[in-house]
Amino acid sequence: MRTALDLAAPIRCVACDDASDGELCGSCAGRITVVRRPFCERCGLPNAPARCPCAALEGFVRARSLVAFAEPARSLTLAMKRRGRPALVRDVGSLVAALAIREELSCDVVCFVPAGRRARHRGFDPARLLAAAVARRLGVPMRPLLARIDDGPRQADVAMSARRANVRGRFDAKRADGTVLLVDDVYTTGATAEACSVALVRAGASEVNVLTWARTLRRLYLP
Ligand SMILES: [Zn+2]
Ligand SMILES: [Zn+2]
């Protein structure tokens, strides 16, 4: 429970718990790994092999992520997902929108990966907030173009090798047109990006690009 003392205390860094005047202290902020070239020009995987694992994925044209999903960015991502901090989501949205501009991911509309049933029950959808922040910064509309057809196991609960099958056909888009920028928080295997972008292309999108705040850089376990 919050007390008057807590309210007077400085913010604590979400990664190391030291006193901080922002979500991350200066030292943790300096340790975030920004994704840089050389990377796969399609999916943005740094130091990708000659045949990048994204060759198995359909749907999207390009995917870009700003930072590696590793500490301390991981703690920041979890704070954004779990705690509903609108200022943090707005700041991250601005950074990600700037990446979209640098990488020339121009779009007519921004959309997001809709939350599953469990997250909806919490009444807070961080992906939607992030997409709204990106859209505002890019000056384009944000539309909820995607719906979940059903809620199976969460991707996080499924082995990497099974994620593509787990999420395929899970999304539906009623109608889409023009170039769509799909915004999400983390790109892991690309399976969710694939499932969503395939649905958007079927619904009429001329092109789908994917923009995430973070991406896992471990070995990918795609077929
Ligand atoms: Zn820190
Ligand atoms: Zn790739």
Side-chain angles (χ1 to χ4, degrees), residues 81-84 115-129:
K81 284 166 77 115
R82 287 188 187 142
R83 301 184 202 172
R117 200 186 318 118
R118 296 169 199 80
R120 283 201 304 274
H121 275 172
R122 292 203 303 266
F124 163 63
D125 189 343
R128 183 184 184 123
L129 291 180

Side-chain angles (χ1 to χ4, degrees), residues 57 155 160-161 163-164 187-192 216 220-222:
L57 298 174
Q155 282 295 78
M160 292 286 176
S161 57
R163 288 190 178 189
R164 195 173 179 214
Y187 181 112
T188 305
T189 60
T192 300
T216 52
L220 298 177
Y221 299 94
L222 284 169

Side-chain angles (χ1 to χ4, degrees), residues 72-89:
R74 186 173 168 279
S75 291
L76 192 68
T77 309
L78 297 181
M80 184 169 77
K81 284 166 77 115
R82 287 188 187 142
R83 301 184 202 172
R85 296 184 169 185
L88 173 59
V89 174

Side-chain angles (χ1 to χ4, degrees), residues 6-195:
D6 289 332
L7 291 170
I11 296 177
R12 301 217 155 254
C13 170
V14 295
C16 71
D17 206 36
D18 276 359
S20 165
D21 38 3
E23 301 282 351
L24 281 181
C25 70
S27 134
C28 287
R31 287 193 292 117
I32 287 188
T33 305
V34 174
V35 173
R36 295 183 198 285
R37 286 186 169 79
F39 55 54
C40 167
E41 285 298 325
R42 177 166 180 240
C43 76
L45 175 67
N47 303 310
R51 183 179 156 79
C52 181
C54 77
L57 298 174
E58 298 165 12
F60 60 89
V61 175
R62 283 187 294 157
R64 291 291 182 269
S65 311
L66 187 59
V67 302
F69 188 61
E71 290 302 345
R74 186 173 168 279
S75 291
L76 192 68
T77 309
L78 297 181
M80 184 169 77
K81 284 166 77 115
R82 287 188 187 142
R83 301 184 202 172
R85 296 184 169 185
L88 173 59
V89 174
R90 267 198 307 278
D91 287 350
V92 168
S94 287
L95 292 171
V96 176
L99 173 67
I101 293 165
R102 278 204 302 283
E103 290 291 321
E104 299 178 340
L105 294 181
S106 57
C107 62
D108 301 308
V109 59
V110 168
C111 78
F112 58 94
V113 179
R117 200 186 318 118
R118 296 169 199 80
R120 283 201 304 274
H121 275 172
R122 292 203 303 266
F124 163 63
D125 189 343
R128 183 184 184 123
L129 291 180
L130 182 62
V134 171
R136 206 172 306 124
R137 188 63 190 260
L138 295 178
V140 298
M142 193 281 283
R143 298 218 175 87
L145 296 175
L146 290 161
R148 276 184 194 260
I149 295 171
D150 76 303
D151 264 349
R154 288 191 317 159
Q155 282 295 78
D157 296 337
V158 172
M160 292 286 176
S161 57
R163 288 190 178 189
R164 195 173 179 214
N166 182 52
V167 79
R168 188 179 284 165
R170 193 71 76 70
F171 296 93
D172 185 32
K174 294 238 160 359
R175 193 167 54 85
D177 56 310
T179 301
V180 177
L181 185 62
L182 175 70
V183 172
D184 202 2
D185 47 14
V186 183
Y187 181 112
T188 305
T189 60
T192 300
E194 175 186 50

